[in-house]
Amino acid sequence: MVVDTSILLTSLISSAVVIITAPASKASYPARVLTSHLVAALTGLVLRSFLPISPWSVAAAVGFALLIVLVADRLHPPAIANAGIMFSANGSTLELIGLVAVTASILTGAAFLSRHCLLRVPTGKEPLS
């Protein structure tokens, strides 16, 4: 694998912090974590095949990824950085998608565990005592 994973760690570590420190927030919903990471990564990869590498192109990738997840109501803020990271990453599309898919799946599992198993976040459907 020729991908430099050190830069990708920024969005993944930020996601882990949000998931662990704010498990009850909407940003920590497992579906938001997975969707935001994958959409942002795919947006960056798709746009890099059409646009030249420049700060403006990276900004466009990030902005477009943000627009997509906002419209879909799936925002997990740290994941949006993946659009810029993927746009400028050195590696094949398959390697980069595989890396994001595996790490986003692990983060989604962590989000599920932190919300439902470890902290017992209230769902709003519990009877009042």
Side-chain angles (χ1 to χ4, degrees):
M1 189 180 247
V2 296
V3 178
D4 178 17
T5 57
S6 60
I7 189 76
L8 184 59
L9 289 175
T10 57
S11 70
L12 301 175
I13 291 169
S14 299
S15 287
V17 170
V18 169
I19 290 165
I20 297 302
T21 60
S25 80
K26 286 178 81 174
S28 294
Y29 288 6
R32 287 174 180 263
V33 173
L34 183 63
T35 305
S36 284
H37 275 284
L38 293 178
V39 166
L42 288 171
T43 301
L45 290 171
V46 167
L47 289 181
R48 88 175 184 172
S49 60
F50 297 108
L51 300 174
I53 293 180
S54 75
W56 292 106
S57 299
V58 173
V62 170
F64 195 57
L66 180 60
L67 177 65
I68 293 169
V69 297
L70 284 174
V71 168
D73 193 26
R74 292 285 185 249
L75 179 62
H76 173 72
I80 302 306
N82 283 347
I85 293 167
M86 293 297 119
F87 192 93
S88 55
N90 182 21
S92 74
T93 300
L94 187 59
E95 289 174 328
L96 293 169
I97 288 295
L99 181 61
V100 171
V102 168
T103 54
S105 297
I106 291 168
L107 285 168
T108 301
F112 178 82
L113 287 174
S114 70
R115 289 186 60 77
H116 299 291
C117 298
L118 301 176
L119 298 177
R120 296 276 191 209
V121 175
T123 63
K125 298 177 184 175
E126 295 81 11
L128 297 174
S129 40

